[in-house]
Amino acid sequence: MAASTDPDTLRALVVTVVHHPQDSRIRHREIAALLAAGWQVTYLAPFVGHDLPVPAPEDGLTCIDLPRAAGRDRLPAARAARAVVRRLAPEHDVVLVHDPELLPATAGLGLEHLVWDVHEDPAGALVVKDWLPGPLRRPVAGAWRLAERLVERRHPLLLAEHAYADRFRGSHTVVPNAVVVPPEVPPAGGARLVHVGNLTTARGSELMVDAARLAHAASDGAITLEVVGPARDDASRAAMEAGVAEGVVVWHGFQPAERAMATIDGALAGLSLLRDLPNYRGSMPTKVVEYLAHGVPAITTPLPLAREIVQEAQAGLVVPFDDAQAAADAAVELWRDPQRAAGMGERGRELVRARYDWAKGGAAFVAALTDIARERSPRR
């Protein structure tokens, strides 16, 4: 479908050079909500960089390829994004950026209608960025804190977590990482552990393979781990390949959102074994909410928000950081009591439906962007 020429039709320019073009928050929640509300969306993302074809225009959505920013090779992507945003921004009511590096990349373009969707704590994340030399991480993190305050003065922000509000002085709209809750799911059980999401050592990739290996042995070969997600570092790739070779892991790599979520259905438990790092302490791991939405209990490390939701709903088990044996023991415990696992899944699903259902969050997101467009759009 061609872009609407109706001046009353709201138009959003959505930009990322870091995230996968099929990122659940960006593509399958936010963009989908805008399209459903009648917006026209132009989506700039690294399709080719993720080995994907650039989708043809349809149903109000136009996609344009950008270079992918990865490791130290980030400047070409920033330059390309700046050039395309400079050209297209005046034709749109809102420019929604999802990567911190896009803020300096678009500086000086006079984009009063630019909105930063704050997914994470960039300063905290620098602790585990191996592309940045160790001695530079702390001073760069401090400089970023100052830069956030400057960005806040110029642009509206959307926050993915209520806890992110402490980093800013003003009041900003919170659009939590809610999920799509399926209408029906099978009960949890069986002997299949699952993990859905990017694989890094910081996210516990090596730990989950170790846990799967231990649980497999303790269950006489019954328990296995099914993993959906791309490896983002060499250590994670090696861990997955070793698990596959040993027969304790089934690794699908990246899968579209629909297939990835279908993998969760009917599993014994979902793993979220993130390490104790600053970037994670104020965030709710989306995968935990996704597991519970599909009626599957979570086995999680004790990050504050993950621990809170799991313990409040009695919807899984909390294990210590960096403890593969404890994670394996939790899996075996649920395997031996499938009714308990199913009950945990049901309770978690009810809590997610009440608090984290995107059917509610999507409307708030669209309303927030609509208000920004009315106040700041260059087309109005």
Side-chain angles (χ1 to χ4, degrees):
M1 179 182 296
S4 172
T5 58
D6 184 345
D8 292 329
T9 299
L10 292 169
R11 305 189 67 196
L13 182 63
V14 181
V15 193
T16 181
V17 292
V18 172
H19 294 84
H20 194 284
Q22 294 294 327
D23 179 89
S24 294
R25 178 178 175 89
I26 300 172
R27 176 62 186 90
H28 295 284
R29 291 197 280 274
E30 294 187 348
I31 289 179
L34 291 172
L35 294 173
W39 284 58
Q40 297 283 335
V41 178
T42 304
Y43 185 26
L44 312 183
F47 294 94
V48 175
H50 284 277
D51 299 320
L52 295 176
V54 181
E58 61 175 330
D59 298 329
L61 176 64
T62 300
C63 297
I64 298 174
D65 186 56
L66 286 177
R68 179 182 177 186
R72 293 186 175 92
D73 188 24
R74 307 174 96 78
L75 189 56
R79 286 175 173 168
R82 180 181 177 86
V84 180
V85 170
R86 181 200 294 269
R87 175 168 56 89
L88 296 181
E91 304 171 10
H92 293 79
D93 299 285
V94 171
V95 178
L96 181 63
V97 300
H98 291 272
D99 316 322
E101 44 264 81
L102 290 174
L103 299 171
T106 56
L109 297 182
L111 304 180
E112 298 297 325
H113 59 317
L114 183 144
V115 182
W116 177 26
D117 190 353
V118 185
H119 290 221
E120 61 177 5
D121 178 0
L126 288 170
V127 174
V128 295
K129 298 298 185 184
D130 55 10
W131 53 265
L132 185 66
L136 294 179
R137 293 176 189 175
R138 189 174 298 276
V140 171
W144 177 255
R145 289 286 187 226
L146 295 175
E148 284 185 335
R149 297 290 177 86
L150 294 175
V151 171
E152 181 185 21
R153 295 176 187 173
R154 293 289 308 276
H155 301 290
L157 310 182
L158 299 178
L159 310 183
E161 301 285 353
H162 289 278
Y164 292 170
D166 293 340
R167 288 160 40 199
F168 302 100
R169 292 177 177 172
S171 176
H172 303 286
T173 300
V174 179
V175 180
N177 277 321
V179 299
V180 176
V181 181
E184 295 182 2
V185 294
R192 184 172 56 90
L193 300 173
V194 295
H195 176 274
V196 175
N198 289 330
L199 300 166
T200 66
T201 55
R203 295 171 184 263
S205 55
E206 295 171 298
L207 184 68
M208 73 176 73
V209 174
D210 289 341
R213 189 178 291 118
L214 293 167
H216 185 77
S219 63
D220 295 325
I223 295 176
T224 58
L225 170 63
E226 192 165 359
V227 178
V228 177
R232 298 301 189 190
D233 53 50
D234 292 340
S236 298
R237 185 174 296 104
M240 291 299 127
E241 291 172 348
V244 170
E246 295 172 34
V248 301
V249 173
V250 177
W251 184 28
H252 299 287
F254 172 80
Q255 294 292 320
E258 295 82 358
R259 294 182 188 175
M261 293 301 100
T263 304
I264 302 173
D265 292 341
L268 173 64
L271 298 184
S272 179
L273 303 182
L274 280 69
R275 296 172 60 198
D276 185 19
L277 295 170
N279 186 38
Y280 299 145
R281 290 175 195 149
S283 301
M284 169 67 77
T286 305
K287 61 177 59 66
V288 170
V289 182
E290 289 172 338
Y291 299 150
L292 302 188
H294 285 254
V296 170
I299 296 175
T300 179
T301 47
L303 291 167
L305 297 180
R307 178 179 59 205
E308 179 181 333
I309 187 175
V310 166
Q311 291 183 338
E312 178 181 348
Q314 299 180 50
L317 298 172
V318 179
V319 298
F321 291 108
D322 302 314
D323 192 335
Q325 186 64 62
D329 291 345
V332 172
E333 183 179 332
L334 294 178
W335 173 67
R336 289 174 174 162
D337 193 348
Q339 289 186 338
R340 183 184 179 202
M344 287 180 168
E346 290 176 4
R347 291 190 294 271
R349 184 169 155 78
E350 289 303 314
L351 186 147
V352 170
R353 184 182 287 113
R355 295 188 192 172
Y356 296 97
D357 190 345
W358 183 249
K360 303 173 184 176
F365 163 72
V366 172
L369 283 199
T370 300
D371 288 343
I372 293 169
R374 287 172 177 164
E375 295 174 1
R376 293 173 173 254
S377 172
R379 301 176 63 232
R380 301 291 135 182

